Amino acid sequence: MENSKKITVQMTAPALVEFVFRSYYTRLGGLVSIFLGLLGTGLGIYCIIMGGSLKSIIIYFAVAVICLVANPVTLYIKALNQLRTSPSYKDPVVYEIGAEGLKISLGNESDGIGWENVYRLLYTKRMFAIYTNPYNAFVIPNEAMGDEKDIILGRVVSYTSEYYPKLSGNLKVFLGQK
């Protein structure tokens, strides 16, 4: 690819954990989990204040602990296990960002996607995600972009802008740049 930027990425735990948490808690299941956890906590406190049965109090707080503690801990452990065991995270991935699209290389294998296939762009404190659909994304830890982070983000936003992917608010500053 002519005039392209290459990034060599070794996935990091903070970037993958943030991606997994954002993926879960921005969907209906994650939101329901938070709601049930808060509801269980509130009802448990209400039962204590109103002199409810011990059985009810235990059930409400059990729901709260499962939803507000066990779910996040499980997600965290799954993300770390995925980082440790997934073949796609063992070796560095090379992303080549050019006007034609995104080329992804892992070892001897490579593939690419055109910018028209980008569904969403998400930029956070720890990672940049290029979604190809609501559930799958290429995740680039911010430290992998180094000092060229703004150049890379600007190019990706510019290359995809004519296809109108969903943009996180902090990427909108790059609209109109070339």
Side-chain angles (χ1 to χ4, degrees):
M1 283 190 222
E2 192 176 305
N3 196 21
S4 62
K5 284 274 182 204
K6 281 190 180 184
I7 310 167
T8 301
V9 173
Q10 186 67 55
M11 183 54 69
T12 64
L16 186 60
V17 167
E18 183 169 2
F19 174 73
V20 167
F21 271 65
R22 281 186 170 269
S23 294
Y24 181 74
Y25 286 110
T26 57
R27 291 197 170 65
L28 183 60
L31 297 174
V32 168
S33 176
I34 292 171
F35 174 76
L36 289 175
L38 294 174
L39 182 65
T41 302
L43 290 173
I45 292 170
Y46 179 77
C47 279
I48 290 171
I49 293 170
M50 299 306 283
S53 71
L54 181 61
K55 182 179 178 181
S56 296
I57 294 169
I58 290 171
I59 289 172
Y60 290 135
F61 281 120
V63 168
V65 167
I66 289 169
C67 293
L68 297 176
V69 178
N71 276 353
V73 168
T74 302
L75 286 173
Y76 183 80
I77 291 169
K78 282 183 179 181
L80 293 181
N81 283 339
Q82 184 179 3
L83 183 64
R84 217 178 54 248
T85 60
S86 176
S88 61
Y89 297 135
K90 295 251 188 253
D91 296 320
V93 177
V94 177
Y95 293 100
E96 189 173 348
I97 298 167
E100 304 84 39
L102 179 67
K103 181 180 174 188
I104 305 100
S105 302
L106 178 61
N108 295 330
E109 296 180 34
S110 68
D111 200 0
I113 62 161
W115 294 122
E116 70 277 3
N117 296 315
V118 172
Y119 169 79
R120 179 180 179 204
L121 299 173
L122 174 68
Y123 176 66
T124 69
K125 181 179 173 182
R126 293 183 181 91
M127 56 95 185
F128 175 52
I130 301 171
Y131 285 80
T132 55
N133 63 48
Y135 306 102
N136 299 313
F138 298 104
V139 179
I140 302 171
N142 287 345
E143 61 255 23
M145 293 185 279
D147 295 335
E148 296 188 318
K149 179 175 57 178
D150 286 345
I151 295 168
I152 292 165
L153 295 174
R155 284 189 183 182
V156 173
V157 170
S158 173
Y159 293 150
T160 59
S161 64
E162 68 182 281
Y163 305 108
Y164 303 104
K166 294 179 182 178
L167 294 179
S168 59
N170 51 3
L171 287 175
K172 292 182 180 174
V173 298
F174 296 105
L175 285 172
Q177 292 184 6
K178 286 282 179 182

